[in-house]
Structures are given as structure tokens and as C-alpha cells.
């Protein structure tokens, strides 16, 4: 007796897609948790424990390491893991990036401080931060591609919705890291400095075990399996950069989202504290904004499946620019409630609307043989330009112009303008048939053309 359509079991492909989406969510959340814990703890205690001001050489290491490890290493990770992901496979690179991130974070948790081993403490800390940067640089591309390429076989019209699971890893990791650091920071100051700060890093080994368990159960991308027998004549990065327009467009699309993310989360901690808020009030506001993002981001991604990637991203960019001055005015009010509202609007709503469709949009711009390299390079270049330089520029402008919030608002507007202009130049990718895509292209399958 045949099952009715309402009681039919999901196909093996659909069950595998759900498993891949879950692995993308958990894996990306774990990686962002590890990456963001470093930044929060560094702001609290690393200056005294690893970079004492009395040693000029250590100060130089700190200045170089903060920049290089945080952002320059991410595009490098995208290139390295993209190369092997396009040649060997997506799944193996996903496992490797997670293992690198988890082990790097755990080792930070057991690292001796400057008082114990001298200058080797900051040297090793920066080296482990580089490992983290390289790992997260390769993580996003592998996790997102696995979801997109599995969805192509069963639900290609809902690629945005399915990739939102991977994109949710960033706000979920932010919530987990802020919550954990807030919890351990309630310890007495001497205990927090002695051992409490290590707990969030040591927890990484547990999260790593869970993430690897889930990822080991997913199958390799079916689209990659089809083209693996056709090796590229040149390295993927050479193929991609031979015609760099798609990478440049991918970078431009992401700059607004990453500028807003950087200024309204990491940079905002120091900015708001300097304006009279307590650290716990700011961490609470960031956590609430990330929780709002957990709702807005999948909604924006799903909407992009219906109306297109371009209108949704453009709406987010316009909203980010329109809210830039009001958001900073709310922050400058000194009210903890208005601070929460400001970050919820600027980060939770506007930034998430820009960010949500990026997973589907960027992967749809490249062919299967170079998709890992192309999408990763565009995405990580956007993080370097948008998130890497924005806090430095904002701090410099604030120092030069008396501390008013206008420079921060203008930077938010500038990042949103870059995204809006790039989206205006980009043709819609929602209808791209991934299995028929050229090696790297921004030209979609025409609307209505059979795939």
C-alpha cells in the first residue's frame, strides 16, 4: 500500500540536505564562537597578561599581530582551503578547518602568560590567532557550498533559505561567546585573571567534538563529485583571478554588511564604554542584537528566494545608511535601553538583511570547479576591507575630530553605499543553474529558462 503524499517520508537527498544544513550551522557557530571569544577576552585581560606596556618589543608584536591575525589571515585561509576544496573536496576541508579552529582555541586556553615564559607568550598567542584566522577564512566557503550544492539537487528554488543556516552561525556564535564571557567575568577579578578567562577557550574542545561528530556524517557535495573527474589546468585561484570581476563584485556586495557588523559589535564595546556604559551593559546589548539577527537573517534569506537577492540586499543597505545617524544618536544618549534599541536596529535588522542572502548570492556567482576559491576569496576580502579597516579608521577619526559620533555614522553610510552601488551593477543570480555555470561568471540563467 503506497503512502499518501502527506505521509510520505523525505527522500534520501532531502534528509542529507537537512543533515548538511545542521552541520553548517553547528560548525560555523563553533568557529565564530572561537574567533569572537578571543576578541572579547583580549579586550578584558590580554593587554596585561600577554602584552605588558613596559616591553617595547612586545608592543610591536601586539600591534602587528592584532592586524595580521585578525583579518589578513582570513583571505589567506580562503585561498588555501579554496584551492584544496576545489581540487580534493568540500567535506574534507570542512573537517580540517573545524579541527584547526578548535585545537587553536584550546591551546590559547592553556597558554602560559608573559610572566611565565616572557616574550614567547605573545609570540605564541599571535601564532595561534593566525591559525584561527586561517581556519575561519576557509570555514565559511566550505560550509556554505556544501549546503548550496546539496540544495541544488532537491530544492534549488530555496537556496537562500537553506544557506541561512550557515549564515546563522555568525550571530549564534556571537551569542554563545558573549554569554560565556559574561558568565566567567562575574568571577572575582583575581580569579578571572588567574584562570577564569581560560574557560571559554577550553570549552572549545567539547564544541569541537560535537561539531566533528555531525560533520563526519554528511556526504560530499554531489555537484563537486560530478566535476571532480575534470581537473583544472591551473590552480583555482589563478582561474578566478584571470577574470577578477566576479571576485571584486562579491567583495563589494559584502563590504556594507561587514562594516556595520564590525562597527556595531566589536568597535561598539570600546566606544560605548568610553561613553559611560558598563561592559556588562554593552555585552547585553550586543547579545540582544545578535538574538534579533537570529530571527531577521533567515527571514531575509528566505525572502530572497521569492523576490531575488538584489532587492533584499539593497533594502538592507538603504536601511543601514538611513539608520546610521539615528543609531549613533541613541548610543550617545547614555541610556542602556536605547543602546539595546540602537544595536537591535542597526545590527539585528539592517545589517542582517544585507548579510542574510550573501551565502546564496556569492556562491551563485561562480562555477563548481572554482566556487570554493571564488566565493571564499570575495567574502574574506570583504571582511578585510569592511571589518578589518573600519575600527581603525573610526578610532583615528574620533581622535581627530573630538570624539563625536559623526565619523562612525559616515563610515556606516559609506559601507552601505558601496554595497548598494555594487548590487545595482550586479545582475540577479537567484535563477542561476549551478550545475551549468561557467567556471566563474556573474551572468545568470535568464528568468524562466529551464535548468
Amino acid at each position: 500500500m503506497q503512502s499518501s503524499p502527506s505521509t510520505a517520508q523525505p527522500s534520501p537527498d532531502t534528509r542529507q540536505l537537512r543533515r548538511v544544513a545542521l552541520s553548517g550551522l553547528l560548525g560555523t557557530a563553533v568557529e565564530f564562537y572561537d574567533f569572537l571569544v578571543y576578541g572579547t577576552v583580549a579586550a578584558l585581560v590580554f593587554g596585561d597578561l600577554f602584552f605588558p606596556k613596559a616591553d617595547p618589543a612586545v608592543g610591536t608584536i601586539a600591534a602587528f599581530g592584532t592586524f595580521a591575525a585578525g583579518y589578513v589571515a582570513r583571505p589567506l585561509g580562503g585561498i588555501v582551503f579554496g584551492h584544496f576544496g576545489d581540487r580534493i573536496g568540500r567535506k574534507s576541508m570542512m573537517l580540517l578547518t573545524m579541527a584547526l579552529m578548535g585545537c587553536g582555541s584550546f591551546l590559547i586556553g592553556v597558554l602560559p602568560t608573559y610572566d611565565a615564559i616572557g616574550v614567547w607568550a605573545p609570540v605564541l598567542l599571535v601564532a595561534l590567532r593566525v591559525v584561527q584566522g586561517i581556519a575561519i577564512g576557509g570555514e565559511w566557503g566550505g560550509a556554505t557550498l556544501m549546503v548550496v550544492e546539496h540544495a541544488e539537487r532537491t530544492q534549488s528554488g530555496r537556496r537562500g533559505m537553506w544557506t541561512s543556516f550557515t549564515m546563522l552561525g555568525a550571530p549564534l556564535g556571537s551569542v554563545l561567546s558573549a554569554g560565556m564571557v559574561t558568565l566567567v567575568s562575574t568571577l572575582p577579578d583575581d580569579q578571572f585573571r588567574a584562570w577564569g578567562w581560560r574557560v571559554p577557550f577550553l570549552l572549545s574542545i567539547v564544541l569541537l567534538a560535537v561539531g566533528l561528530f555531525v560533520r563526519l556524517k554528511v556526504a560530499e557535495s554531489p555537484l563537486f563529485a560530478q566535476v571532480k573527474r575534470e581537473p583544472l589546468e591551473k590552480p583555482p585561484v589563478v582561474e578566478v583571478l584571470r577574470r577578477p570581476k566576479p571576485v571584486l563584485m562579491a567583495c563589494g556586495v559584502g563590504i556594507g554588511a561587514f562594516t556595520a557588523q564590525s562597527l556595531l559589535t566589536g568597535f561598539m564595546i570600546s566606544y560605548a564604554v568610553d561613553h559611560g556604559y558598563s561592559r556588562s551593559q554593552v555585552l547585553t546589548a550586543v547579545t540582544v542584537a545578535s538574538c534579533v539577527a537570529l530571527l531577521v537573517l533567515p527571514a531575509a534569506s528566505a525572502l530572497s528566494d521569492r523576490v531575488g537577492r538584489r532587492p533584499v540586499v539593497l533594502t538592507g543597505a538603504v536601511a543601514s545608511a538611513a539608520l546610521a545617524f539615528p543609531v549613533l544618536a541613541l548610543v550617545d544618549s547614555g541610556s542602556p535601553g536605547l543602546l539595546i534599541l540602537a544595536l537591535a536596529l542597526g545590527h539585528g535588522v539592517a545589517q542582517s538583511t544585507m548579510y542574510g542572502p550573501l551565502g546564496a548570492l556569492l556562491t551563485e556567482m561562480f562555477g563548481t570547479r572554482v566556487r570554493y576559491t571564488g566565493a571564499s576569496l570575495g567574502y574574506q576580502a570583504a571582511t578585510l576591507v569592511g571589518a578589518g579597516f573600519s575600527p581603525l579608521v573610526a578610532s583615528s577619526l574620533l581622535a581627530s575630530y573630538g570624539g563625536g559620533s559623526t565619523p562612525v555614522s559616515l563610515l556606516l553610510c559609506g559601507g552601505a553605499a558601496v554595497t548598494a552601488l555594487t548590487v545595482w551593477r550586479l545582475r540577479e543570480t537567484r535563477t542561476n543553474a549551478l550545475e551549468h555555470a561557467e567556471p566563474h561568471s556573474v551572468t545568470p540563467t535568464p528568468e524562466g529558462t529551464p535548468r
Side-chain angles (χ1 to χ4, degrees):
M1 183 175 178
Q2 293 184 341
S3 301
S4 66
S6 61
T7 60
Q9 294 295 315
S11 68
D13 286 340
T14 301
R15 290 196 297 269
Q16 183 63 221
L17 174 58
R18 292 174 180 174
R19 186 177 297 166
V20 170
L22 176 61
S23 77
L25 171 62
L26 292 178
T28 308
V30 169
E31 296 238 8
F32 271 90
Y33 165 86
D34 288 338
F35 194 77
L36 295 172
V37 158
Y38 180 102
T40 307
V41 175
L44 295 175
V45 296
F46 278 2
D48 294 335
L49 297 179
F50 289 93
F51 305 109
K53 297 179 181 179
D55 190 334
V58 174
T60 302
I61 295 171
F64 176 78
T66 300
F67 176 79
Y71 292 99
V72 173
R74 290 179 66 165
L76 176 61
I79 293 173
V80 172
F81 287 104
H83 174 86
F84 291 104
D86 283 327
R87 286 186 175 272
I88 298 174
R90 300 7 179 161
K91 178 180 177 178
S92 57
M93 295 302 103
M94 286 172 57
L95 294 171
L96 184 53
T97 58
M98 177 173 281
L100 277 176
M101 178 63 86
C103 292
S105 295
F106 180 81
L107 290 175
I108 290 175
V110 298
L111 191 64
T113 62
Y114 185 87
D115 287 342
I117 59 173
V119 73
W120 283 106
V123 168
L124 293 173
L125 181 66
V126 170
L128 291 172
R129 184 58 169 171
V130 169
V131 170
Q132 283 191 323
I134 291 174
I136 204 169
E139 160 65 23
W140 179 86
T144 305
L145 264 61
M146 283 285 281
V147 176
V148 168
E149 293 176 351
H150 275 276
E152 184 70 3
R153 294 186 63 176
T154 56
Q155 303 188 39
S156 58
R158 302 177 69 188
R159 292 191 296 241
M161 187 275 288
W162 284 106
T163 56
S164 70
F165 285 92
T166 301
M167 306 301 283
L168 280 171
L172 182 57
S174 177
V175 170
L176 293 174
S177 63
M180 179 56 63
V181 175
T182 300
L183 181 63
V184 297
S185 65
T186 60
L187 291 168
D189 187 64
D190 58 337
Q191 294 183 32
F192 179 72
R193 290 176 175 273
W195 58 268
W197 68 269
R198 299 180 184 273
V199 173
F201 294 103
L202 297 177
L203 183 62
S204 298
I205 206 69
V206 178
L207 299 176
L208 172 62
V210 174
L212 289 178
F213 176 78
V214 174
R215 286 196 165 177
L216 283 169
K217 293 181 175 294
V218 303
E220 179 58 272
S221 157
L223 293 187
F224 177 78
Q226 292 175 10
V227 303
K228 186 178 180 180
R229 295 182 296 273
E230 305 170 9
L232 289 167
E233 295 181 0
K234 298 179 181 179
V237 67
V238 175
E239 290 287 339
V240 168
L241 295 180
R242 192 161 52 90
R243 287 185 290 171
K245 181 179 178 180
V247 173
L248 295 176
M249 297 287 277
C251 175
V253 169
I255 282 176
F258 289 114
T259 299
Q261 181 188 61
S262 178
L263 292 178
L264 297 178
T265 55
F267 173 80
M268 188 53 61
I269 294 176
S270 61
Y271 178 87
V273 168
D274 289 343
H275 283 71
Y277 295 95
S278 68
R279 194 173 300 278
S280 63
Q281 289 173 334
V282 182
L283 288 174
T284 298
V286 171
T287 302
V288 171
S290 296
C291 289
V292 173
L294 290 174
L295 300 175
V296 175
L297 194 153
S301 302
L303 182 62
S304 75
D305 287 330
R306 301 180 66 86
V307 303
R309 319 295 182 214
R310 296 174 70 247
V312 177
V313 175
L314 184 60
T315 298
V318 171
S320 184
L323 289 170
F325 284 91
V327 160
L328 268 296
L330 292 174
V331 174
D332 290 343
S333 71
S335 167
L338 293 181
L339 172 67
I340 292 175
L341 177 62
L343 298 192
L345 289 173
H347 175 54
V349 177
Q351 190 272 344
S352 296
T353 303
M354 280 191 287
Y355 183 68
L358 284 186
L361 173 58
L362 269 59
T363 54
E364 289 164 349
M365 293 171 63
F366 299 90
T368 304
R369 293 302 286 121
V370 297
R371 186 170 291 128
Y372 200 143
T373 299
S376 294
L377 189 55
Y379 182 93
Q380 301 303 340
T383 68
L384 174 62
V385 177
F389 294 125
S390 295
L392 176 62
V393 174
S395 298
S396 300
L397 291 175
L398 288 174
S400 301
Y401 294 95
S405 62
T406 298
V408 183
S409 300
L410 290 175
L411 280 177
L412 286 171
C413 291
V418 172
T419 290
L421 290 173
T422 306
V423 169
W424 178 66
R425 296 286 298 172
L426 181 69
R427 295 179 62 186
E428 181 57 58
T429 65
R430 176 173 62 93
T431 55
N432 278 20
L434 299 185
E435 68 270 27
H436 300 311
E438 293 299 319
H440 46 290
S441 173
V442 294
T443 304
T445 303
E447 194 74 48
T449 301
R451 282 192 266 228

